[in-house]
Amino acid sequence: MRTALCDLLGIDYPVLQGGMAWVATAELAAAVSNAGGLGIIGAGNMTGELITAEIRKCRALTDRPFGVNVYYLSPFVEEVMAAVIAERVPVVTTGAGNPGKHIERLHAGGTKVIPVVASVALAKRLERVGADALIAEGMECGGHIGEITTMALVPQVVAAVDIPVIAAGGIADGRGLAAALALGAQGVQMGTRFVLSEECTVHPRYKEALLKARDRSTVVTGASTGHPVRVLENKLAREFLERERAGASREELEKLGTGKLRAAVRDGDVEYGSVMSGQIAGYIAKVLPVRDIIATMVQEADAVLAELARRAASNARDVHILEV
Ligand code: TUI
């Protein structure tokens, strides 16, 4: 299973790990890169100094390419970008904003730039300013999301641009990878599946909460603030939604949310913390080593595609027999 994206990024398999704030540490990113995918450190709200240390830690753990995700709502975006450029990180992905103004400087240092998009308009704009590939993120994803599903977004972005598209949202196995390729994507990015890996350092209660999740266990909070976020439903999510319905101000809601992702990820507060999760959590039954997650899904995708090709050939033969 290789695509042109593998050559662009220097990886063995077209599988990226989402750059999740607080979750996507150097350890997780290095494990994914060592297994042949692209590991990505989540800069979240880190300072330039912190992300520099994390990049160096990742370099000590792997010789393979890896990435850093830059979160555009962070107050430290500029210093994180400066650090990423100084460290000549192989790949940068971006979230929750438009990275257009940084692309030239990143390219000058040899960094590949892969913005996350949730719409066709932004996809076209970022192709024009030089993005190397795009991650089309459906609203099945955990965390900060757009409004369109993966199934509807990916083919529309693929049709609108000439650069490789990576599908994200609702993907956790080989069937999902095969489906993404069928939609015209060149690879996938997964978040929730990699949270449920042995190498992921989130609090054990965070993993337990995701393992218990079912298909309808996530809700979207924050839609009224313009920053919708998908999380597991818990006490915090219910209070957040209640206050939103009551017309709470953006400041009040921001205050309620501050520090809650850290509380869930690091302290294991799964009732009054923000347990970000994709809708696919209900499908994931086991914590597995990163290497098994990637190897199994690639094998499974090859098998699914071979079986579909076999059926298509058999159908074509049947049609031919009918015709003669
Ligand atoms: O960024 C994400 N997912 C995230 S960031 C995050 S950290 C957080 N912590 C606490 C509260 C809220 C967030 C958790 N999950 N995904 C990438 C993504 N980017 N999804 C959607 C977008 C996006 C949305 C609008 C990208 C660009 C955009 O518009 C920018 C423009 O200028 O049009």
Side-chain angles (χ1 to χ4, degrees), residues 21 44-45 69 71 73 94-98 116-119 122 125 137 142-146 227 229 257 261 274 276:
N45 284 326
N69 175 265
Y71 173 55
L73 295 175
T94 63
N98 182 342
V116 170
V117 299
S119 71
L122 187 58
R125 223 183 303 148
E137 231 186 60
H144 182 86
I145 54 172
H227 297 302
V229 172
L261 179 58
S274 178
M276 294 186 184

Side-chain angles (χ1 to χ4, degrees), residues 106-287:
L106 288 162
H107 278 168
T111 298
K112 297 274 191 293
V113 185
I114 311 185
V116 170
V117 299
S119 71
V120 169
L122 187 58
K124 284 184 172 169
R125 223 183 303 148
L126 291 171
E127 179 187 41
R128 232 178 288 131
V129 294
D132 296 284
L134 296 167
I135 299 166
E137 231 186 60
M139 53 90 81
E140 297 94 322
C141 281
H144 182 86
I145 54 172
E147 289 179 345
I148 309 176
T149 61
T150 304
M151 189 82 167
L153 179 65
V154 172
Q156 294 189 71
V157 172
V158 167
V161 301
D162 290 319
I163 50 180
V165 175
I166 296 146
I171 299 166
D173 70 353
R175 286 180 185 277
L177 172 54
L181 298 178
L183 293 177
Q186 296 233 356
V188 296
Q189 174 177 279
M190 304 190 296
T192 308
R193 175 64 270 193
F194 285 121
V195 176
L196 291 172
S197 69
E198 284 178 3
E199 292 87 344
C200 179
T201 59
V202 301
H203 195 285
R205 278 198 292 271
Y206 199 111
K207 292 187 187 177
E208 279 162 30
L210 292 197
L211 285 173
K212 275 195 225 140
R214 304 218 228 170
D215 55 346
R216 302 177 65 228
S217 293
T218 70
V219 293
V220 178
T221 60
S224 70
T225 69
H227 297 302
V229 172
R230 183 180 299 287
V231 293
L232 280 191
E233 186 175 27
N234 62 6
K235 285 204 178 87
L236 174 66
R238 283 190 288 272
E239 179 172 345
F240 204 103
L241 288 172
E242 229 164 79
R243 289 216 216 163
E244 270 191 288
R245 273 193 290 269
S249 68
R250 180 194 276 241
E251 293 73 42
E252 182 187 339
L253 293 169
E254 260 167 29
K255 209 165 128 201
L256 184 61
T258 300
K260 295 301 198 294
L261 179 58
R262 184 193 183 285
V265 171
R266 292 285 144 226
D267 309 335
D269 185 354
V270 294
E271 270 313 320
Y272 216 75
S274 178
V275 187
M276 294 186 184
S277 167
Q279 288 186 314
I280 200 69
Y283 184 68
I284 305 172
K286 251 183 111 172
V287 174

